[in-house]
Amino acid sequence: MNFTLFATVLLTGILFVALVVVLAQLLAPRSFNKQKLEAYECGIPTRGSSWAQFHVGYYLFAILFLMFDVETMFLFPWATIAADLQTGGLIAVLFFLVILILGLAYAWRKGALTWK
């Protein structure tokens, strides 16, 4: 692997992001007022404190969604070259799916998928 090329691409990416952030800070219009610091939802001002606790079920569903979203992200490249892979590629993806199915079964058995 060519380390010089890797370092050049990495530094170029870091410098580009830093440049864009600095330019945004310099060129962005600014207006400061008290109303901009207030919580805003659907055009209705909030009553009371805007800090509210959410049920842990929301987070569990979000984590399960991300788990299967990542699964799809990893399966898509495999599916594009599945014809070129031999039996080892099929066994590897089956092992990956078994791990995910076991995780889903565990969450299901623990009651993480029931909405109370």
Side-chain angles (χ1 to χ4, degrees):
M1 183 172 162
N2 190 352
F3 181 74
T4 308
L5 178 62
F6 175 75
T8 304
V9 170
L10 183 67
L11 287 174
T12 303
I14 291 171
L15 289 174
F16 180 73
V17 170
L19 177 68
V20 169
V21 169
V22 168
L23 283 176
Q25 289 293 324
L26 293 175
L27 300 177
R30 291 182 184 82
S31 65
F32 299 102
N33 58 27
K34 187 177 177 182
Q35 189 176 13
K36 286 183 77 170
L37 299 176
E38 293 181 7
Y40 181 79
E41 183 176 343
C42 300
I44 301 170
T46 58
R47 287 186 226 130
S49 175
S50 298
W51 295 98
Q53 291 183 347
F54 290 99
H55 188 270
V56 71
Y58 292 116
Y59 298 109
L60 293 174
F61 269 77
I63 288 171
L64 287 172
F65 173 77
L66 287 175
M67 181 178 77
F68 289 106
D69 195 37
V70 169
E71 171 192 0
T72 304
M73 183 182 70
F74 282 129
L75 286 178
F76 182 74
W78 173 83
T80 58
I81 61 166
D84 299 336
L85 297 176
Q86 301 297 321
T87 307
L90 179 63
I91 291 172
V93 80
L94 287 176
F95 182 71
F96 177 69
L97 289 174
V98 164
I99 290 173
L100 289 173
I101 291 169
L102 287 175
L104 177 62
Y106 177 78
W108 197 339
R109 183 165 173 95
K110 287 292 187 178
L113 301 177
T114 57
W115 200 263
K116 298 175 188 173

Tab-separated table of all heavy atoms in Angstrom, residues 21-68:
chain	number	residue	atom	x	y	z
A	21	VAL	N	-15.427	24.738	7.036
A	21	VAL	CA	-15.932	25.197	8.333
A	21	VAL	C	-15.519	26.642	8.591
A	21	VAL	O	-16.324	27.463	9.039
A	21	VAL	CB	-15.445	24.255	9.465
A	21	VAL	CG1	-15.722	24.849	10.834
A	21	VAL	CG2	-16.094	22.892	9.336
A	22	VAL	N	-14.278	26.973	8.305
A	22	VAL	CA	-13.804	28.348	8.505
A	22	VAL	C	-14.536	29.309	7.583
A	22	VAL	O	-14.969	30.397	8.008
A	22	VAL	CB	-12.276	28.431	8.303
A	22	VAL	CG1	-11.803	29.873	8.226
A	22	VAL	CG2	-11.565	27.689	9.415
A	23	LEU	N	-14.720	28.945	6.320
A	23	LEU	CA	-15.447	29.818	5.391
A	23	LEU	C	-16.900	30.004	5.832
A	23	LEU	O	-17.444	31.107	5.714
A	23	LEU	CB	-15.393	29.251	3.972
A	23	LEU	CG	-14.087	29.453	3.226
A	23	LEU	CD1	-14.119	28.757	1.875
A	23	LEU	CD2	-13.807	30.935	3.048
A	24	ALA	N	-17.517	28.959	6.330
A	24	ALA	CA	-18.893	29.084	6.808
A	24	ALA	C	-18.977	30.033	7.992
A	24	ALA	O	-19.914	30.834	8.093
A	24	ALA	CB	-19.443	27.709	7.185
A	25	GLN	N	-18.003	29.979	8.882
A	25	GLN	CA	-17.996	30.892	10.029
A	25	GLN	C	-17.777	32.338	9.587
A	25	GLN	O	-18.351	33.260	10.155
A	25	GLN	CB	-16.897	30.487	11.023
A	25	GLN	CG	-17.192	29.212	11.757
A	25	GLN	CD	-18.374	29.366	12.690
A	25	GLN	OE1	-18.572	30.407	13.299
A	25	GLN	NE2	-19.173	28.322	12.796
A	26	LEU	N	-16.961	32.531	8.576
A	26	LEU	CA	-16.660	33.889	8.121
A	26	LEU	C	-17.764	34.488	7.264
A	26	LEU	O	-18.047	35.685	7.347
A	26	LEU	CB	-15.346	33.901	7.340
A	26	LEU	CG	-14.079	33.598	8.138
A	26	LEU	CD1	-12.882	33.528	7.194
A	26	LEU	CD2	-13.859	34.645	9.212
A	27	LEU	N	-18.386	33.698	6.415
A	27	LEU	CA	-19.326	34.227	5.431
A	27	LEU	C	-20.792	34.098	5.819
A	27	LEU	O	-21.645	34.727	5.186
A	27	LEU	CB	-19.108	33.516	4.091
A	27	LEU	CG	-17.714	33.662	3.479
A	27	LEU	CD1	-17.612	32.865	2.204
A	27	LEU	CD2	-17.393	35.128	3.231
A	28	ALA	N	-21.115	33.313	6.816
A	28	ALA	CA	-22.516	33.089	7.173
A	28	ALA	C	-23.115	34.339	7.784
A	28	ALA	O	-22.484	35.014	8.596
A	28	ALA	CB	-22.631	31.926	8.153
A	29	PRO	N	-24.360	34.675	7.393
A	29	PRO	CA	-25.011	35.832	8.012
A	29	PRO	C	-25.363	35.513	9.467
A	29	PRO	O	-25.677	34.387	9.808
A	29	PRO	CB	-26.269	36.031	7.163
A	29	PRO	CG	-26.526	34.714	6.543
A	29	PRO	CD	-25.188	34.047	6.382
A	30	ARG	N	-25.284	36.536	10.299
A	30	ARG	CA	-25.568	36.344	11.711
A	30	ARG	C	-26.620	37.338	12.162
A	30	ARG	O	-26.589	38.507	11.777
A	30	ARG	CB	-24.308	36.548	12.548
A	30	ARG	CG	-23.287	35.474	12.353
A	30	ARG	CD	-22.092	35.746	13.255
A	30	ARG	NE	-21.047	34.792	13.035
A	30	ARG	CZ	-20.145	34.845	12.067
A	30	ARG	NH1	-20.187	35.825	11.220
A	30	ARG	NH2	-19.219	33.924	11.953
A	31	SER	N	-27.515	36.859	12.985
A	31	SER	CA	-28.458	37.744	13.657
A	31	SER	C	-28.683	37.168	15.049
A	31	SER	O	-29.002	35.995	15.204
A	31	SER	CB	-29.767	37.855	12.887
A	31	SER	OG	-30.425	36.619	12.862
A	32	PHE	N	-28.481	37.993	16.035
A	32	PHE	CA	-28.598	37.547	17.416
A	32	PHE	C	-29.835	38.178	18.033
A	32	PHE	O	-29.990	39.396	18.036
A	32	PHE	CB	-27.357	37.950	18.216
A	32	PHE	CG	-26.091	37.337	17.679
A	32	PHE	CD1	-25.219	38.088	16.909
A	32	PHE	CD2	-25.786	36.018	17.936
A	32	PHE	CE1	-24.060	37.531	16.410
A	32	PHE	CE2	-24.635	35.449	17.444
A	32	PHE	CZ	-23.763	36.207	16.681
A	33	ASN	N	-30.717	37.347	18.538
A	33	ASN	CA	-31.841	37.840	19.306
A	33	ASN	C	-32.294	36.748	20.276
A	33	ASN	O	-31.938	35.580	20.138
A	33	ASN	CB	-32.994	38.326	18.422
A	33	ASN	CG	-33.519	37.251	17.502
A	33	ASN	OD1	-33.418	36.069	17.791
A	33	ASN	ND2	-34.092	37.675	16.382
A	34	LYS	N	-33.075	37.160	21.246
A	34	LYS	CA	-33.493	36.250	22.314
A	34	LYS	C	-34.400	35.136	21.784
A	34	LYS	O	-34.383	34.012	22.257
A	34	LYS	CB	-34.199	37.047	23.397
A	34	LYS	CG	-34.527	36.263	24.626
A	34	LYS	CD	-35.159	37.145	25.676
A	34	LYS	CE	-35.552	36.324	26.877
A	34	LYS	NZ	-36.202	37.128	27.902
A	35	GLN	N	-35.190	35.454	20.781
A	35	GLN	CA	-36.156	34.491	20.261
A	35	GLN	C	-35.475	33.288	19.591
A	35	GLN	O	-36.002	32.189	19.605
A	35	GLN	CB	-37.088	35.177	19.279
A	35	GLN	CG	-38.253	34.317	18.847
A	35	GLN	CD	-39.210	35.074	17.944
A	35	GLN	OE1	-38.878	36.153	17.458
A	35	GLN	NE2	-40.380	34.511	17.728
A	36	LYS	N	-34.307	33.498	19.012
A	36	LYS	CA	-33.604	32.395	18.355
A	36	LYS	C	-33.141	31.335	19.340
A	36	LYS	O	-32.886	30.198	18.960
A	36	LYS	CB	-32.403	32.928	17.576
A	36	LYS	CG	-32.788	33.641	16.313
A	36	LYS	CD	-31.568	34.075	15.561
A	36	LYS	CE	-30.987	32.894	14.858
A	36	LYS	NZ	-29.935	33.227	13.919
A	37	LEU	N	-33.027	31.667	20.609
A	37	LEU	CA	-32.567	30.725	21.609
A	37	LEU	C	-33.704	29.914	22.227
A	37	LEU	O	-33.465	29.015	23.015
A	37	LEU	CB	-31.797	31.465	22.711
A	37	LEU	CG	-30.552	32.211	22.241
A	37	LEU	CD1	-29.943	32.982	23.401
A	37	LEU	CD2	-29.548	31.246	21.651
A	38	GLU	N	-34.948	30.229	21.871
A	38	GLU	CA	-36.087	29.513	22.435
A	38	GLU	C	-36.332	28.206	21.688
A	38	GLU	O	-36.015	28.079	20.507
A	38	GLU	CB	-37.346	30.381	22.349
A	38	GLU	CG	-37.296	31.605	23.235
A	38	GLU	CD	-38.569	32.425	23.128
A	38	GLU	OE1	-39.533	31.978	22.471
A	38	GLU	OE2	-38.594	33.520	23.699
A	39	ALA	N	-36.928	27.246	22.397
A	39	ALA	CA	-37.307	25.976	21.757
A	39	ALA	C	-38.471	26.238	20.809
A	39	ALA	O	-39.335	27.070	21.076
A	39	ALA	CB	-37.689	24.964	22.820
A	40	TYR	N	-38.513	25.528	19.710
A	40	TYR	CA	-39.515	25.753	18.692
A	40	TYR	C	-39.961	24.408	18.145
A	40	TYR	O	-39.146	23.574	17.761
A	40	TYR	CB	-38.920	26.605	17.574
A	40	TYR	CG	-39.880	26.937	16.466
A	40	TYR	CD1	-40.806	27.943	16.623
A	40	TYR	CD2	-39.854	26.240	15.276
A	40	TYR	CE1	-41.685	28.264	15.613
A	40	TYR	CE2	-40.723	26.550	14.256
A	40	TYR	CZ	-41.645	27.558	14.432
A	40	TYR	OH	-42.515	27.869	13.436
A	41	GLU	N	-41.282	24.196	18.152
A	41	GLU	CA	-41.785	22.937	17.603
A	41	GLU	C	-43.123	23.194	16.932
A	41	GLU	O	-44.086	23.617	17.569
A	41	GLU	CB	-41.952	21.902	18.709
A	41	GLU	CG	-42.408	20.570	18.188
A	41	GLU	CD	-42.486	19.512	19.271
A	41	GLU	OE1	-41.903	19.686	20.329
A	41	GLU	OE2	-43.150	18.524	19.020
A	42	CYS	N	-43.211	22.969	15.657
A	42	CYS	CA	-44.454	23.062	14.887
A	42	CYS	C	-45.113	24.440	14.998
A	42	CYS	O	-46.329	24.551	14.949
A	42	CYS	CB	-45.440	21.978	15.318
A	42	CYS	SG	-44.811	20.319	15.104
A	43	GLY	N	-44.349	25.468	15.215
A	43	GLY	CA	-44.909	26.805	15.286
A	43	GLY	C	-45.574	27.152	16.595
A	43	GLY	O	-46.125	28.233	16.740
A	44	ILE	N	-45.552	26.229	17.538
A	44	ILE	CA	-46.202	26.465	18.823
A	44	ILE	C	-45.123	26.627	19.880
A	44	ILE	O	-44.288	25.745	20.045
A	44	ILE	CB	-47.114	25.277	19.193
A	44	ILE	CG1	-48.173	25.087	18.110
A	44	ILE	CG2	-47.766	25.493	20.553
A	44	ILE	CD1	-48.964	23.819	18.264
A	45	PRO	N	-45.133	27.726	20.611
A	45	PRO	CA	-44.143	27.873	21.686
A	45	PRO	C	-44.363	26.792	22.755
A	45	PRO	O	-45.496	26.415	23.052
A	45	PRO	CB	-44.423	29.267	22.261
A	45	PRO	CG	-45.230	29.962	21.225
A	45	PRO	CD	-45.957	28.917	20.461
A	46	THR	N	-43.295	26.304	23.312
A	46	THR	CA	-43.411	25.260	24.329
A	46	THR	C	-43.880	25.847	25.643
A	46	THR	O	-43.639	26.999	25.955
A	46	THR	CB	-42.060	24.562	24.546
A	46	THR	OG1	-41.111	25.541	24.926
A	46	THR	CG2	-41.596	23.858	23.301
A	47	ARG	N	-44.559	25.001	26.422
A	47	ARG	CA	-44.986	25.380	27.762
A	47	ARG	C	-44.148	24.603	28.750
A	47	ARG	O	-43.981	23.398	28.607
A	47	ARG	CB	-46.460	25.038	27.967
A	47	ARG	CG	-47.364	25.957	27.232
A	47	ARG	CD	-48.805	25.653	27.587
A	47	ARG	NE	-49.542	25.626	26.331
A	47	ARG	CZ	-50.352	24.673	25.931
A	47	ARG	NH1	-50.569	23.641	26.690
A	47	ARG	NH2	-50.946	24.754	24.778
A	48	GLY	N	-43.650	25.257	29.742
A	48	GLY	CA	-42.853	24.571	30.743
A	48	GLY	C	-41.457	24.280	30.222
A	48	GLY	O	-40.957	24.923	29.307
A	49	SER	N	-40.855	23.257	30.793
A	49	SER	CA	-39.493	22.892	30.415
A	49	SER	C	-39.495	22.098	29.113
A	49	SER	O	-40.365	21.271	28.877
A	49	SER	CB	-38.866	22.051	31.527
A	49	SER	OG	-37.595	21.597	31.119
A	50	SER	N	-38.526	22.360	28.283
A	50	SER	CA	-38.410	21.629	27.025
A	50	SER	C	-37.706	20.295	27.217
A	50	SER	O	-37.666	19.479	26.301
A	50	SER	CB	-37.641	22.459	26.009
A	50	SER	OG	-38.325	23.645	25.745
A	51	TRP	N	-37.120	20.088	28.371
A	51	TRP	CA	-36.405	18.842	28.640
A	51	TRP	C	-37.386	17.814	29.162
A	51	TRP	O	-37.968	17.978	30.223
A	51	TRP	CB	-35.297	19.071	29.657
A	51	TRP	CG	-34.244	19.978	29.115
A	51	TRP	CD1	-34.125	21.307	29.326
A	51	TRP	CD2	-33.195	19.626	28.228
A	51	TRP	NE1	-33.062	21.815	28.648
A	51	TRP	CE2	-32.464	20.793	27.953
A	51	TRP	CE3	-32.797	18.437	27.635
A	51	TRP	CZ2	-31.367	20.813	27.119
A	51	TRP	CZ3	-31.692	18.461	26.800
A	51	TRP	CH2	-31.004	19.630	26.559
A	52	ALA	N	-37.568	16.757	28.410
A	52	ALA	CA	-38.483	15.695	28.820
A	52	ALA	C	-37.784	14.357	28.643
A	52	ALA	O	-36.998	14.174	27.711
A	52	ALA	CB	-39.744	15.738	27.980
A	53	GLN	N	-38.089	13.432	29.524
A	53	GLN	CA	-37.520	12.096	29.404
A	53	GLN	C	-38.386	11.278	28.464
A	53	GLN	O	-39.607	11.349	28.504
A	53	GLN	CB	-37.448	11.423	30.762
A	53	GLN	CG	-36.445	12.051	31.686
A	53	GLN	CD	-36.351	11.303	33.008
A	53	GLN	OE1	-37.175	10.478	33.322
A	53	GLN	NE2	-35.328	11.606	33.771
A	54	PHE	N	-37.722	10.477	27.630
A	54	PHE	CA	-38.421	9.602	26.708
A	54	PHE	C	-38.342	8.180	27.216
A	54	PHE	O	-37.390	7.794	27.882
A	54	PHE	CB	-37.809	9.689	25.302
A	54	PHE	CG	-38.069	11.002	24.624
A	54	PHE	CD1	-37.097	11.992	24.625
A	54	PHE	CD2	-39.277	11.247	24.014
A	54	PHE	CE1	-37.327	13.205	24.007
A	54	PHE	CE2	-39.522	12.458	23.395
A	54	PHE	CZ	-38.544	13.435	23.394
A	55	HIS	N	-39.330	7.405	26.851
A	55	HIS	CA	-39.356	5.994	27.224
A	55	HIS	C	-38.191	5.280	26.543
A	55	HIS	O	-37.855	5.556	25.396
A	55	HIS	CB	-40.693	5.378	26.794
A	55	HIS	CG	-40.907	3.999	27.295
A	55	HIS	ND1	-40.519	2.898	26.588
A	55	HIS	CD2	-41.448	3.543	28.449
A	55	HIS	CE1	-40.832	1.815	27.276
A	55	HIS	NE2	-41.408	2.186	28.407
A	56	VAL	N	-37.578	4.351	27.251
A	56	VAL	CA	-36.412	3.651	26.724
A	56	VAL	C	-36.762	2.825	25.482
A	56	VAL	O	-35.896	2.511	24.670
A	56	VAL	CB	-35.764	2.780	27.826
A	56	VAL	CG1	-36.628	1.583	28.150
A	56	VAL	CG2	-34.369	2.336	27.438
A	57	GLY	N	-38.027	2.518	25.298
A	57	GLY	CA	-38.453	1.758	24.120
A	57	GLY	C	-38.124	2.456	22.813
A	57	GLY	O	-37.824	1.811	21.805
A	58	TYR	N	-38.179	3.791	22.799
A	58	TYR	CA	-37.828	4.539	21.590
A	58	TYR	C	-36.372	4.266	21.200
A	58	TYR	O	-36.053	4.074	20.029
A	58	TYR	CB	-38.026	6.038	21.800
A	58	TYR	CG	-39.460	6.451	21.958
A	58	TYR	CD1	-39.908	6.995	23.150
A	58	TYR	CD2	-40.357	6.324	20.913
A	58	TYR	CE1	-41.223	7.392	23.296
A	58	TYR	CE2	-41.671	6.721	21.044
A	58	TYR	CZ	-42.102	7.245	22.240
A	58	TYR	OH	-43.391	7.637	22.390
A	59	TYR	N	-35.501	4.258	22.191
A	59	TYR	CA	-34.086	4.040	21.919
A	59	TYR	C	-33.830	2.603	21.467
A	59	TYR	O	-33.005	2.354	20.585
A	59	TYR	CB	-33.252	4.377	23.158
A	59	TYR	CG	-33.381	5.815	23.558
A	59	TYR	CD1	-34.082	6.180	24.698
A	59	TYR	CD2	-32.826	6.824	22.785
A	59	TYR	CE1	-34.218	7.509	25.059
A	59	TYR	CE2	-32.959	8.150	23.139
A	59	TYR	CZ	-33.654	8.480	24.276
A	59	TYR	OH	-33.789	9.797	24.624
A	60	LEU	N	-34.528	1.643	22.075
A	60	LEU	CA	-34.358	0.246	21.670
A	60	LEU	C	-34.804	0.042	20.228
A	60	LEU	O	-34.134	-0.660	19.458
A	60	LEU	CB	-35.117	-0.680	22.610
A	60	LEU	CG	-34.579	-0.741	24.032
A	60	LEU	CD1	-35.488	-1.581	24.911
A	60	LEU	CD2	-33.168	-1.308	24.038
A	61	PHE	N	-35.929	0.642	19.849
A	61	PHE	CA	-36.377	0.520	18.461
A	61	PHE	C	-35.381	1.194	17.516
A	61	PHE	O	-35.115	0.695	16.424
A	61	PHE	CB	-37.772	1.129	18.294
A	61	PHE	CG	-38.864	0.143	18.489
A	61	PHE	CD1	-39.238	-0.268	19.757
A	61	PHE	CD2	-39.517	-0.397	17.407
A	61	PHE	CE1	-40.240	-1.183	19.949
A	61	PHE	CE2	-40.535	-1.311	17.583
A	61	PHE	CZ	-40.899	-1.721	18.856
A	62	ALA	N	-34.831	2.325	17.926
A	62	ALA	CA	-33.857	3.017	17.082
A	62	ALA	C	-32.602	2.169	16.898
A	62	ALA	O	-32.061	2.075	15.793
A	62	ALA	CB	-33.500	4.363	17.688
A	63	ILE	N	-32.145	1.527	17.961
A	63	ILE	CA	-30.948	0.684	17.857
A	63	ILE	C	-31.214	-0.518	16.965
A	63	ILE	O	-30.378	-0.891	16.132
A	63	ILE	CB	-30.485	0.260	19.265
A	63	ILE	CG1	-29.885	1.462	19.992
A	63	ILE	CG2	-29.467	-0.873	19.196
A	63	ILE	CD1	-29.602	1.214	21.448
A	64	LEU	N	-32.398	-1.132	17.109
A	64	LEU	CA	-32.724	-2.269	16.241
A	64	LEU	C	-32.836	-1.834	14.783
A	64	LEU	O	-32.388	-2.541	13.876
A	64	LEU	CB	-34.022	-2.921	16.708
A	64	LEU	CG	-33.910	-3.726	17.992
A	64	LEU	CD1	-35.282	-4.159	18.468
A	64	LEU	CD2	-33.013	-4.928	17.794
A	65	PHE	N	-33.412	-0.657	14.543
A	65	PHE	CA	-33.487	-0.144	13.182
A	65	PHE	C	-32.096	0.053	12.600
A	65	PHE	O	-31.819	-0.336	11.456
A	65	PHE	CB	-34.258	1.171	13.142
A	65	PHE	CG	-34.225	1.829	11.800
A	65	PHE	CD1	-35.015	1.375	10.771
A	65	PHE	CD2	-33.375	2.897	11.559
A	65	PHE	CE1	-34.981	1.963	9.528
A	65	PHE	CE2	-33.322	3.500	10.323
A	65	PHE	CZ	-34.131	3.027	9.304
A	66	LEU	N	-31.204	0.649	13.385
A	66	LEU	CA	-29.839	0.860	12.899
A	66	LEU	C	-29.122	-0.457	12.643
A	66	LEU	O	-28.349	-0.576	11.686
A	66	LEU	CB	-29.048	1.703	13.903
A	66	LEU	CG	-29.419	3.175	13.947
A	66	LEU	CD1	-28.667	3.877	15.065
A	66	LEU	CD2	-29.149	3.835	12.620
A	67	MET	N	-29.382	-1.450	13.490
A	67	MET	CA	-28.742	-2.747	13.300
A	67	MET	C	-29.123	-3.340	11.942
A	67	MET	O	-28.269	-3.799	11.185
A	67	MET	CB	-29.155	-3.700	14.419
A	67	MET	CG	-28.509	-5.060	14.316
A	67	MET	SD	-28.956	-6.149	15.659
A	67	MET	CE	-30.584	-6.650	15.179
A	68	PHE	N	-30.402	-3.295	11.598
A	68	PHE	CA	-30.820	-3.861	10.326
A	68	PHE	C	-30.486	-2.950	9.155
A	68	PHE	O	-30.316	-3.420	8.024
A	68	PHE	CB	-32.300	-4.219	10.366
A	68	PHE	CG	-32.559	-5.402	11.252
A	68	PHE	CD1	-33.138	-5.250	12.486
A	68	PHE	CD2	-32.169	-6.662	10.849
A	68	PHE	CE1	-33.351	-6.335	13.313
A	68	PHE	CE2	-32.370	-7.754	11.666
A	68	PHE	CZ	-32.959	-7.597	12.890
